[in-house]
Amino acid sequence: MTATIATTPSPAPESTLEGHGQPLIDKTFRWILFAATAVGIVFLAVLIVYVTLKGLPRLTPALWQNMPSIRNPDTAGAQSAITGTIWVMAFTALTALPVGILSAVYLEEFGNAKSRFQRVVDINIQNLAAVPSVVFGILGLAIIARAFQLGQTVITAGLTLGLLVLPVVIISTRESLRAVPQNIRHGSLALGATQWQTTWKQTMPAAIPGMATGTILALSRAIGEAAPLLLLGAVSFISFNPTGPFSAYTTMPIQIFNWTKDPREEFQILAAALIVLLLVLLLAMNAVAILIRNRTQRRW
Amino acid sequence: MKQMRDSEAAKQSSSDMSTTGRMDVAASLGSHGREIPETISNVVFGLDNVQVFYGDFQAVRDVSMQIGRNEITAFIGPSGCGKSTLLRSFNRMNDLIPGARVAGSLTYHGYDVYAPNVDPIEVRRRIGMVFQKPNVFPKSIYENVAYGPKVNKMKVNMDDLVEECLTRAALWDEVKDDLKKSAYALSGGQQQRLVIARCIAVKPDVILMDEPCASLDPIATAKVEDLMQELANDYTIVIVTHNMQQAARVSDRTAFFTADVDSAGVRHGRLVEYGPTRSIFTAPNDPRTEDYISGRFG
Ligand SMILES: Nc1ncnc2c1ncn2[C@@H]1O[C@H](COP(=O)(O)OP(=O)(O)OP(=O)(O)O)[C@@H](O)[C@H]1O
Ligand SMILES: [Mg+2]
């Protein structure tokens, strides 16, 4: 049986559906927003194109196969700076990741959020994340290089940069832990799991993608830092690869700094080429971070 | 001292149930065909003046009752009267809420659950809990079930245990070919049955269920209800439900709670009436109970 529904056509609307168009303010505002966005993008694009064009002649395997040289600008490369960066970053990660992740787990999962201690720590971490990197350089020089007598070495640089990114690692790890729904913890605890088991087997695995993203971004901040290392005295000319944690070193940003100081045109081109390499490295790290984030987005 | 229940009869009656009209609460009664004595001989939980506080707010006041072994006890009552709060105090899940506090005496097989030397982990291992929203772990179906036995270091053949628990939870046939699949790929009803399987995998003594069917469709609900009947042979079950028919269908005893407003205008939950489900639904003593179960409650 089909139901018959009286279908009286609804009366035509009295006015047409035409609007009055976008008010002027609306349009203007959109243009301002667009322009603001464009400034940033155009500026960045110009910079990248300029640097790439300038460095192109020296973007050859010689850049990472040869050592820096003052006398032979034509054959100079940046191998010691690239290996130096890898060494320093390894020690940065070794410092910042375990300490950062463990403190974040403590603060988020075990600490009492309302305690005075934790509130003080919270505020300090937020502030530390905003401290200029030069200040960390001074700290590294006074305490790590001089008081601990570690000198101008890979380990000093790694510890200093590790401290520099520590607050960022803590904050991003805490955020990814906080994103794990409470009912997963409760589900685990209700089965008789201890808090430690719950954290280790449920909460942390669920937070790993977020932690990975955050820590890669933190390390990509450290990789481009020159200021704190300059303060640590890493300005000398190094034409050998680091041999261990107590070896002298140079890094890519420092090599760039040294080359741009040299008035000879060849070194300017070399600096541009190394900048391109550093940018590629940074973009690659950020791409990995974004990839991890997108791949593992969970529907809780 | 186990009260045995004929699981065949339970199954039989639960399938009969589907043919009877579910709309009429009284018609759903007595489906499991078991005489429920007025008094409880085998006490699992003994509550004496139990009060639960959140900070200064007293959410539950003066509850005294006993919960019988291998019985299904239903908690009913309007929203906010403290059913979940009271349920969580049975396995010390309230400990996880900052500021929550339990006063009065709550015993489990005669032991004070809140005695200073009691380990909440040990309590929770014996008293399992199924939450209102299915909270499967972001892991495979297999790992969800195996997690509890693993953390409790139970010496078992894990494959067998997983199969056994999933079978008991009426989920095995649906998932046996993709145990490695993420539990998130299951439907809500399947997830809830997985959570029940996960819960029985640690071989608890009691299962607390807080509105286990709230997010399920009628078919999944019927499955979970059948499952409860089946589990009541071995377990003591306490279930919170907003569904009167469900309470009438599955439970042996029913406790009706409501919230009183005190002179300061604060609402405190309290136990109004508790007894065999049949008498609560057919001859309640308190007019508030009658109003609530017949849907006249404000
Ligand atoms: N974590 C909490 N912190 C503070 N107050 C709470 C908390 N959980 C519940 N309450 C309060 O305790 C009272 C009882 O809540 P509870 O969740 O136990 O009620 P309920 O009977 O389970 O209700 P519902 O049927 O809606 O689930 C309510 O007034 C509620 O606001
Ligand atoms: Mg509730």
Side-chain angles (χ1 to χ4, degrees), chain A residues 138-161:
Chain A
I138 298 170
L139 183 92
L141 180 66
I143 296 174
I144 302 168
R146 297 214 176 128
F148 291 170
Q149 304 207 323
L150 288 172
Q152 189 205 319
T153 55
V154 167
I155 194 147
T156 305
L159 285 171
T160 307
L161 291 183

Side-chain angles (χ1 to χ4, degrees), chain A residues 114 181-195 197-198 201-202 205-206 298-300, chain B residues 93 96 98 121 124-125 127-129 131 133 135-139 147-148 151-153 184 198-199 202:
Chain A
K114 291 209 177 86
Q182 199 64 5
N183 67 16
I184 288 187
R185 295 181 184 84
H186 285 181
S188 168
L189 291 166
L191 288 169
T194 62
Q195 203 183 355
Q197 288 170 324
T198 302
K201 296 192 169 158
Q202 296 291 353
R298 285 185 205 283
R299 297 158 283 119
W300 296 112
Chain B
M93 287 300 281
L96 307 174
I121 307 293
R124 294 186 199 127
R125 213 197 73 59
I127 307 170
M129 185 163 218
F131 298 79
K133 243 178 86 193
N135 58 346
V136 297
F137 300 136
K139 298 178 182 298
Y147 177 73
V151 296
N152 287 295
K153 302 192 175 58
Y184 277 58
R198 183 176 87 184
C199 179
V202 294

Side-chain angles (χ1 to χ4, degrees), chain A residues 29 131 216 238 262:
Chain A
F29 198 56
V131 168
I216 292 175
I238 303 282
D262 196 305

Side-chain angles (χ1 to χ4, degrees), chain B residues 79-85 88 132 210-211 240 242:
Chain B
S79 193
C81 67
K83 306 178 295 293
S84 303
T85 301
R88 280 197 302 264
Q132 174 171 345
D210 195 349
E211 301 184 42
V240 172
H242 276 287

